[in-house]
Amino acid sequence: MAINWTEAQIEQIVASVMKNLGHGAPDADCQWNSTSYCGRNLIGIYEDMNDAIVAAEAGYKAIRSMSVEDREKIITVIRRLCREEAPIMAKLGVAETKMGRVDHKTAKHMLVADKTPGTSDITASVKTGDFGLTLTEMAPFGVVGSITPSTNPSETVICNSIGMIAAGNGVVFNPHPNAIATSNYAVDLVNRACAEAGGPRVLVASVAKPTLDTANIMYKHPSIRLLVCTGGPGVVKSVLSSGKKAIGAGAGNPPVIVDDTADIRKAGKDIIDGCSFDNNLPCIAEKEVFAFDSIADELIDAMKGAGAYLITKEQADKLAEIVLVDKKNPKTGVISKIVNRDCVGRDAAVLLEKIGVRVCSNIRCIICETEFEHPFVQHELMMPILPIVRVRDIDQAIDLAVKAEHGCRHTAHMHSKNVDRLTRFARAVETTIFVKNAPSYAGIGFGGEGHTTFTIAGPTGEGLTSARSFTRYRRCVLSESFRII
Ligand code: NAD
């Protein structure tokens, strides 16, 4: 599990995977939808959410009688298939959602395969004393209902499945409608792995047409004992209002501070690497920069050297008119700005073309200097657009960065060699993830220590979820015996 990839290794993995990209990937001859892929029916996909829940419950009952070792065998096959079919899912994800980048999505699947904890994450604890022995074990909930996003669709389905199966659960997914074929491909992959390892034919299930109604059936169904939601504020709120135990992994708007002690060249490259990863779709990715005025010019130069394209204030305002659109609240009539879904996760070159700027394909991020109030700073764009705000000192940097994070307490980044300043910002911003002197993805184990997850549960406090997040603690008391001293 302790994989710490260097940048060269990541490039090597991506290069070797890209070589096989044509194999099995969706092409003109391959028809795909939410229930089939290249003429093959996907396993575990149902028209009716109730049927999906019944199937997952049968799968859960089947694995209850299996040993932990057998569960680990299922997970081993999931990891293998995830690696082998990463290019297919990456290409399918981009083709279906029109968001992100195939090479980066491929690397994300490799990360899930290699660094999502399995059954080793499930442990027991014992307390002994004058009254005997008390054992606490991590037990499955039963069937977990999981809502997954369009931004990391198959990554989240597979990552959730590994953790939830390791914990002994069955799973029903209500995936994002815009990524349903990709998500259901991953559901099928998990079921194929399960059957190959001697488990039930269906252990995880999904629906052909997910809607808010199918989500509501899931919320209310008595067999669903735990809800896990990975998505924006609306859906997290709806899950937390369900009346059931729920894990909510919501939105963020990660700020980055760069001070005058940082290695500026490295900071510029790290920030562009993180911000442009999968075209800024990951919720942890750098969304706005607060740079000390004294180093801001040097930082911008470093960013340009790392593949960023600097636009003017006027161009930034023009782009903001395109990537953000008005939405009227049907209840209050109040109009507010929301992100234009057609621009989320698009290549920097595509976004630049919308304001009449043509660049070559090695440009991977758009940067601009803005004031703090600019919509690029205030909105979670999920696009490779990075606003830079000049600040005079650390006090102003922390003050503005905390405000820009909007209390999501999700992720923040800082480039500095001053330990006091790093500590001050980490304490003030109170985020689940705080990355120092590295690209954002180091926070989920990509070139950083620690396990990975694509469900970062800030609102409900589980943090970077893993198998143990999907368990309930049960106690067994053996009074006045079983103590050997
Ligand atoms: P989204 O919020 O648009 O949708 C998430 C899922 O919820 C989809 O399946 C959608 O159909 C469903 N949904 C939406 N409203 C619902 C409601 N009221 N009731 C039931 N279901 C509902 O998410 P998205 O655009 O695909 O993902 C992007 C958002 O998710 C961003 O805000 C991002 O920060 C966040 N995100 C967070 C994490 C994390 O780990 N914290 C991970 C990925 C994405």
Side-chain angles (χ1 to χ4, degrees):
M1 292 294 297
I3 296 168
N4 195 4
W5 287 326
T6 62
E7 205 178 314
Q9 283 170 318
I10 294 167
E11 276 168 18
Q12 217 176 12
I13 292 169
V14 171
S16 76
V17 162
M18 292 298 285
K19 263 201 331 204
N20 298 323
L21 213 53
H23 173 71
D27 52 35
D29 300 332
C30 173
Q31 303 290 316
W32 47 266
N33 58 36
S34 68
T35 58
S36 72
Y37 179 82
C38 287
R40 177 169 62 76
N41 283 337
L42 302 177
I43 302 163
I45 315 303
Y46 298 84
E47 292 299 324
D48 186 330
M49 174 54 90
N50 292 293
D51 293 340
I53 295 171
V54 168
E57 190 164 30
Y60 159 63
K61 286 183 178 150
I63 62 158
R64 272 203 65 116
S65 61
M66 292 169 70
S67 64
V68 175
E69 198 182 339
D70 286 340
R71 288 208 308 258
E72 190 58 39
K73 279 185 190 154
I74 295 174
I75 291 164
T76 303
V77 184
I78 296 174
R79 293 189 200 283
R80 196 195 80 223
L81 294 185
C82 183
R83 278 186 214 105
E84 287 173 5
E85 298 176 32
I88 300 176
M89 290 181 281
K91 208 167 177 187
L92 187 54
V94 173
E96 182 179 26
T97 65
K98 316 272 183 297
M99 301 192 297
R101 295 171 49 117
V102 172
D103 51 351
H104 293 166
K105 284 195 186 296
T106 304
K108 280 158 73 181
H109 286 85
M110 296 298 190
L111 181 68
V112 167
D114 291 343
K115 293 192 84 174
T116 307
T119 55
S120 62
D121 198 48
I122 306 297
T123 55
S125 63
V126 161
K127 181 154 177 54
T128 67
D130 293 342
F131 296 105
L133 179 148
T134 292
L135 167 70
T136 305
E137 290 191 290
M138 297 178 181
F141 269 90
V143 184
V144 181
S146 174
I147 294 196
T148 52
S150 56
T151 45
N152 319 304
S154 38
E155 300 91 313
T156 308
V157 166
I158 296 175
C159 186
N160 274 191
S161 295
I162 291 175
M164 290 168 187
I165 293 168
N169 300 292
V171 197
V172 171
F173 288 97
N174 195 66
H176 199 291
N178 296 351
I180 188 61
T182 314
S183 308
N184 284 356
Y185 184 99
V187 167
D188 170 79
L189 179 149
V190 172
N191 286 323
R192 279 187 280 129
C194 184
E196 185 183 322
R201 186 172 173 275
V202 176
L203 179 52
V204 300
S206 176
V207 285
K209 283 200 189 80
T211 59
L212 294 187
D213 289 340
T214 56
N216 274 318
I217 294 171
M218 199 166 90
Y219 294 173
K220 297 201 176 90
H221 200 288
S223 296
I224 301 291
R225 303 296 186 109
L226 168 68
L227 290 165
V228 177
C229 170
T230 313
V235 64
V236 168
K237 191 171 166 206
S238 86
V239 165
L240 297 187
S241 318
S242 68
K244 284 198 175 155
K245 158 81 183 174
I247 295 175
N253 194 34
V256 193
I257 292 178
V258 186
D259 79 5
D260 53 357
T261 68
D263 178 339
I264 303 300
R265 193 137 298 278
K266 179 176 182 306
K269 179 172 184 321
D270 283 355
I271 293 169
I272 297 305
D273 283 350
C275 176
S276 62
F277 189 63
D278 207 18
N279 284 344
N280 201 253
L281 290 177
C283 52
I284 54 159
E286 293 84 348
K287 299 286 190 284
E288 63 277 340
V289 175
F290 298 93
F292 275 36
D293 194 21
S294 55
I295 52 87
D297 291 336
E298 194 186 342
L299 182 69
I300 288 169
D301 276 349
M303 288 176 166
K304 281 161 62 181
Y309 185 88
L310 180 68
I311 57 172
T312 63
K313 165 101 184 58
E314 292 67 38
Q315 287 172 317
D317 291 343
K318 198 171 162 190
L319 190 58
E321 289 295 316
I322 296 166
V323 303
L324 290 154
V325 290
D326 289 336
K327 188 176 179 196
K328 194 173 176 183
N329 183 318
K331 283 187 194 144
T332 61
V334 175
I335 294 172
S336 56
K337 290 278 180 205
I338 60 160
V339 291
N340 179 351
R341 281 272 160 186
D342 289 340
C343 297
V344 172
R346 295 301 171 109
D347 290 351
V350 172
L351 296 172
L352 281 171
E353 202 160 336
K354 291 182 188 292
I355 54 166
V357 177
R358 278 176 178 251
V359 293
C360 50
S361 61
N362 62 352
I363 293 298
R364 49 192 181 132
C365 187
I366 303 164
I367 56 173
C368 50
E369 284 199 51
T370 69
E371 68 283 7
F372 173 73
E373 292 74 21
H374 196 276
F376 286 172
V377 176
Q378 302 301 326
H379 288 267
E380 185 199 27
L381 296 179
M382 294 179 286
M383 300 167 204
I385 299 175
L386 190 65
I388 299 157
V389 179
R390 286 178 189 255
V391 290
R392 63 177 178 271
D393 57 19
I394 191 65
D395 295 329
Q396 192 188 20
I398 293 177
D399 179 45
L400 295 185
V402 169
K403 284 181 181 142
E405 214 271 328
H406 300 311
C408 299
R409 302 203 295 181
H410 193 299
T411 299
H413 311 282
M414 186 160 173
H415 294 264
S416 170
K417 287 182 184 153
N418 183 316
V419 175
D420 292 343
R421 289 175 181 170
L422 287 161
T423 309
R424 271 185 65 193
F425 182 35
R427 286 190 180 154
V429 74
E430 293 185 290
T431 46
T432 305
I433 298 178
F434 188 80
V435 179
K436 298 168 180 166
N437 300 323
S440 50
Y441 44 70
I444 53 166
F446 212 150
E449 281 302 328
H451 73 272
T452 202
T453 184
F454 278 82
T455 298
I456 299 152
T460 48
E462 290 77 8
L464 285 91
T465 56
S466 63
R468 61 179 57 200
S469 314
F470 313 121
T471 61
R472 47 194 284 264
Y473 286 64
R474 293 175 58 191
R475 172 186 278 199
C476 178
V477 178
L478 297 157
S479 188
E480 289 172 15
S481 63
F482 285 96
R483 194 176 190 227
I484 57 165
I485 52 171

